[in-house]
Structures are given as C-alpha cells and as structure tokens.
Amino acid sequence: MSDLPIKLSHVSFSAAATPILRGIDLVLRAGAPTFLMGPNGSGKTTLLRFLMGLMTPTSGTIEWNGSHDPAPRRRAMVFQHPVLLRRSVAANLLYALEQAGIEKSQQDKNCTQLLELVGLVDLADRPARRLSGGERQKLAFARALARSPELLILDEPTASLDPSATLAIEQLIARAADEGIKIVIASHDLGQARRLAGDIVFLHRGQILETTSAVSFFQRAQTEQAEKFLRGDLIIER
Amino acid sequence: MNEGSGALQLVLSGDPALYNIVRLSLVVSLSAVALAALIGMPLGGLVALTRFPGRALLIVILNAFMGLPPVVVGLAVFLLLSRSGPLGSFGLLFTPTAMVIAQAVLITPIIAALTRQSVEDLWVEYRDELNAMGVKPFARLITLLYDARVALVTVLLAGFGRAAAEVGAVMIVGGNINGFTRVMTTSIALETSKGDLPLAMGLGLILITIVFAINASAWGLRLYAERRIG
Amino acid sequence: MNFLKIVFTATALSLATFSSVCAQDKTITIASTTSTQDSGLFNHLLPAFKAKTGIDVKVIAQGTGQALDTARRGDADVVFVHAKSAEEKFLAEGFGVKRLDVMYNDFVLIGPASDPAGVKGSKDIVASLKAIKAKAAPFVSRGDKSGTHLAELDLWKAAGLDPAGGKADWYKEIGQGMGAALNTAKAMGAYLLSDRATWISFKGKDGLAIAVEGDTRLFNQYGVMLVNPAKHPHVKVALGQAFVDYVLSAEGQKVIADYKIEGQQLFFPNANK
C-alpha cells in the first residue's frame, strides 16, 4: 500500500495559543527531492512531523493516498537528533526490519546490505549509543531505509556534521532519490538545496510563501522574505 | 569486636544449619523478586504507556504501596492462606511458598512503580522514533522494558533489598520453623529473644555482607552493561 | 528477550523446588510456646521422636494465646502449651480432642541484681509483688496473652492488685516473647516473671538474678492436645496422635526428664498414665 501522494488541506497548528503553522495547503507526489526551507522557527520540523503522522493538527486534514490513518506504511523519517536503541548497530537495523514486517529469513541479508550501503559493516557489533555523530546519522539513515520507504523524511540530516560526513550523507540521499524514493528534507543549508533539491517549499512564520522548482527559486525568488533568506539576511519583520 | 569474631567463626565453621538458613533466605527472596518482576514489570510498563481513567490514582497507589508495612502484608497473606481463610485448602501457610507470596506482595508495588518511572522516561525519549517505525503497542512495551534493562536491574535490587531485609511478613506467614521456614531475619529475631545478642549480631553481619555482595555484583554488571550498551 | 526469559525460568524453577519440598508429607505442625522452643527442649525431643516414628515436626513457637488461635484457625495439628484455663476454654469450644498433662516446670521472679524492692530470697510470690508495687520498682510484663502472662495476671490478682488496669507507670506491658521480655527487663533494671526453662537457657543473664522461687503458686503445667478433626478435617490425626502418645509414653517422658542445661533439669514429666 502506498503513502503517496500526501495531501494537506488548511492545516493549522497552535501550541499554547502560539500559532506554529497556519493554513498549510500542500500536495507531495513522487519525484525529485523537495526541500522545506525557511529560517529557524518557520515551522519546518512541525510540518515534517505532520507529514510523518506523528502529530494531529489543530485544524485541517491530512491524507496519505486518500487515507486519514496516520500509521506509517511506506514512509520513514530521520530525526535531526536520531534516538538509537540501546543495542548494537546491527540489532538496531534488525529491529527496524522486524517492525517493518520483513520476513525473519530475509532480515540478516537485508541488515548486511544496509550496513554495506552506509559503510558501518565494521561497527556492526558496536553499541549504537557509542557511535560518533556522523556514524549515528548513517545508522539512522540505514534504519529508515530498512522500512523500504517510498517517502523518506529528513530533518536537518547534516546540521551538525563535518564536511566528510555531510558528503557521505548527501551521497546516500542522492542515491536514494535515484532509486525512486521521494525525499523531503527540512534544511536551511542553501548549498545542500542547490546540490540536491528538485523543488522548494519556502516557509515563513508558519505559512508557505512559495512552492516552486529549485531552479526558479534560486534564479528569482517570488517574495521579499525568500530574497532576504537567499541573501543570508536575518528576517525579522513580518 | 566480639560480634564480628562470632560471625566469622560461624562462617568458618561451615555450620550446615547456618548454610540452610542463608540458602533459604536467598531462595525465598530471589523467588519473590522473580515473581514480583513477572507481575510488576509488565504492570509498570502498561501504566507508563497507556492512558485510562483512574491512571493517576493507580500511580499514587503504587507509589504509596512502596512503603507497605511488612507486618500488615504478612497478616493479610496469613489470613488468606490460613486453613480458615479463602485459600486455606492449599495448605500453604507456614511454608516457604507462603513466604515467597508475602514478599512478592510486599515488593510488587516497588517494582511496578519504579518500572513505570523508568519506562515512562524512556518513552519520552523513544516515542517519535518508535511511532515513525510503526511499532505496535505490545512490541512498544517489550522494546521499552528491554531497553530500560540496565535501570531495571537497579529496580530489581531495590526489591531484593526490601525482601531480604524484612522480618515482619516472613515471621507471620512462615512461622520461623526450624530447618523449614527459618531465614536470616527471623533467626536474628529469635536469637535476640533468646538473649544471644552476639550471635544475633553475627547473623546480622552475615546478612548485610550477602546483601552487599549482591549489590556490588549488580553494580559491576551495570557498569559493564553501560559500557557495552551505551 | 533474554532478560525476560531468565526471570521466567527463575520463577518456574523456584516454584518447582517448593512443590517438591511440600510433597514430603510425613510431617505435622505443632503450635507451641516460646518457652519450649527458646529453652531448646524441642531440639532435644524432636530428633528422638523422629528417630522413633519417622515423623517430621514443624514447630510454630508463639505465646500460648496466639498458639491456641493458630490451632483454632486450623493451622496446626497439635497444640503444646501451658495455660490450663485457656486450654480448657479451647477444649470447651470443641477445637481440641482431649487435654493431657505432659510436664511441668515453674515460674521464677527475676529481678535486677541490685534488688530495689528487697524481695530477694523470698518464698512468697504474692508478698513480693506487693513489695514491688509499694516501691514502684519497674516491672516488665509479657502482655501477650501467653501462658506466662496469664500466670502473672493470676498472681497479681492473688495479691489483690491490678497494675495492668491501673496504668501504673512502673508496670510495662511489652507484648513480646519471653526472651524479648528478659532483654527488656535487663535494660530497664526491672522485675519480671519468667518460666524457669527459658531463664536457664537465656544467654544474657548478667545483671539479672532469680529473686523469688519455690512458691507452690509458681507451678507451671504444660498440656498437649490434638486439634479436633471434626472442626478441621485436614488435621493429620494419626501423625498428631503419634506425637501425643509419644510425649506421654515412658520413653518420651524420660527424654523430657533427661533434658538438662548446665546440669539443671528444665522440665519435670508428670503425665498421668
């Protein structure tokens, strides 16, 4: 069963009377990576959590391929700070495979493939919580792929990584996209967006200001806020 | 000191009666911990992960029952197991089984309440990841209990310490029968009442040593596990 | 889930151990008094009984009142206690089959070596209690409805006094067994009534001494009863009766007479044949 397309209609969300997202209308279909861009506090992470089905909006509706059931079927998420289980690297992957309903006989094989893909074969028996930042992110990425998703949601996947680890993660993202996985990334790394993005959703103060292809976004943004964001200005005024 | 050398002599003499008393203490209290864990851990985990009416009240009750007076638990189990009580036909009163039941009743709230706390803390950390992996409620409970295992060792120790140290409940339901239901704490009470205070103190030192040794090994296990598991 | 497996296995194993312990069924339970246990009589008597009959005896040592209650609830097969009036009440209620005298010893008034009431060497227990009251010397009472406690109350009554009802501050009811009462009296420098057997075997005598002994009113009779199977059908009649018969037999009576601590005989068999 598929999770795509995802359709958000008039989705708003407030926490303690503070509006976080306002009147979001968005449809996500299979295709090139979509980048959610915008300054800190613009609502990117919250929007990702709605896409993943982890939160219920204050108003509005979300449909995954026409269904309102938020249980993830073919989607997976890598959080900005992934929480790894208190087990070995391999056990983390086996756990995700088990939960994704992969047959027991297949799990070991899949696990080895994933470890090879992200380059963690040598660390298979290492406690996951003892990994470095880059290794953790790779493991979280492999764990998300264990669900064989058609939609992969990534929240600032390289925010605190060094350049070599960032490169490794970006290669994994590009490869996943090439294999037909729809990628949605929240990021404010403009360089990364230029390298990977197919289209851009620009968020500002909980509203979508622009939805456009990456090419046109970087050539000529439609709004003043996006212009400023692209210039690297701090956007403070409404 | 007199008392210390008395205890040392007791241990060195390898007195089989003493050995049996120590063995029974360990068997009874460890069995009680196992039984209480079997009930208390899933219960604590369930309370941590589910929302239902009266949940807050149940948590308060569990926390309050961590301080159940052993003698009251002993009396309640006594009344249940006595030949004139509702479970009298099993003939369990004044047997080690009765002592296990009483201690298990005593420490199940401790294990349940501390498990609930550990699991709930871990759930806050794991919630998004597990939901994103589509983990079902039952698997969620098992996952959290397993990943909280290091903390749960400490929970078991707390239960064991309480069980091994109490005298009120086992005295009432066990009857302190020589060679059958006599454990460390009831021996200490008996020797005290016989006026043999050095022997009572010696037995007390042995009990403390055993509890210390078990705690030390569990702590070592925990350090090792933390290094391995992270 | 190795962890859960271990917990489960441990439980299963321990329960299995217990069921095998419970399976050996040639045992009886006797509700008796702290004096018979604390004095060591049972450690002397029961091995001889077991050698003769092969029956294991489990002893619950309580105050006489509590021991009779244990039997009333059906949690013992035989009672072996020392408070004739309470035993006869138990019998009248139908809980016992028949009460039989087994042995006696006597009570002694124990007091601090300093003897503040000046009763040492007296052979008149009633006059001595009056002297204690007159001096308001501290007195520790078992206060637990045991045979010794009931005997003590009878003696106060004989002296025309009621310190238990009068809230006298020199009179302390501690609600504990004989040994605990002796420990308390020692710590408080108080007088108390004890059975001689417990006193002789008590390990912490220093500072305490016998003040009054030898009065016929200090006589302490022990009786044995089989719990009535008509009230509690699970009572092990044959095994329990074997114990009753044994302690009343010439052989059992001799074993009781032979029990000595430091050369002193503690119990004097007096079964009526």
Side-chain angles (χ1 to χ4, degrees), chain C residues 101-128:
Chain C
D101 285 339
V102 178
M103 62 189 189
Y104 69 92
N105 68 350
D106 62 344
F107 294 112
V108 287
L109 185 74
I110 306 294
S114 59
D115 193 24
V119 296
K120 197 164 197 167
S122 165
K123 295 227 178 287
D124 185 342
I125 182 66
V126 167
S128 301

Side-chain angles (χ1 to χ4, degrees), chain B residues 46-119:
Chain B
L46 271 179
V47 175
L49 297 182
T50 52
R51 298 291 177 271
F52 51 88
R55 177 175 181 271
L57 181 67
L58 182 60
I59 291 173
V60 171
I61 289 174
L62 283 180
N63 286 338
F65 276 20
M66 288 170 75
L68 274 181
V71 62
V72 175
V73 170
L75 188 57
V77 174
F78 174 89
L79 292 174
L80 278 178
L81 297 184
S82 167
R83 288 286 182 180
S84 308
L87 304 177
S89 55
F90 294 103
L92 290 176
L93 192 65
F94 304 138
T95 65
T97 309
M99 300 158 78
V100 171
I101 293 171
Q103 290 193 344
V105 170
L106 185 70
I107 62 176
T108 296
I110 296 180
I111 290 183
L114 296 178
T115 300
R116 181 200 66 80
Q117 191 63 57
S118 298
V119 168

Side-chain angles (χ1 to χ4, degrees), chain B residues 23-24 27-28 31 33-35 37-38 41 78-79 81-85 92-97 100 142-143 145-146 149 152-153 156 172 174-178 180 182 190-197, chain C residues 1-4 7-8 10-11 14-15 17-19 21-22 24 29 37-40 43 57-62 70 72-76 177-183 186 198 201-204 232 234:
Chain B
R23 194 183 63 95
L24 184 65
V27 169
V28 165
S31 305
V33 169
L35 188 59
L38 217 55
M41 286 189 170
F78 174 89
L79 292 174
L81 297 184
S82 167
R83 288 286 182 180
S84 308
L92 290 176
L93 192 65
F94 304 138
T95 65
T97 309
V100 171
I142 300 295
T143 303
L145 283 176
Y146 183 71
R149 59 199 179 280
L152 293 184
V153 168
L156 292 180
I172 294 175
N176 191 26
I177 298 168
N178 192 7
F180 186 59
R182 184 163 297 169
L190 177 65
E191 293 307 329
T192 303
S193 78
K194 282 156 90 174
D196 199 340
L197 303 186
Chain C
M1 304 293 107
N2 286 333
F3 176 71
L4 293 176
V7 169
F8 183 78
T11 310
S14 52
L15 290 179
T17 311
F18 288 138
S19 46
V21 167
C22 300
Q24 47 158 318
T29 304
Q37 164 151 303
D38 291 3
S39 63
N43 289 344
V57 177
K58 298 191 280 182
V59 178
I60 319 290
Q62 298 166 325
T70 297
R72 267 192 193 95
R73 302 188 63 89
D75 294 322
M178 197 68 253
L182 282 162
N183 280 330
K186 184 168 133 184
T198 307
S201 57
F202 185 67
K203 298 266 173 47
H232 293 294
H234 59 270

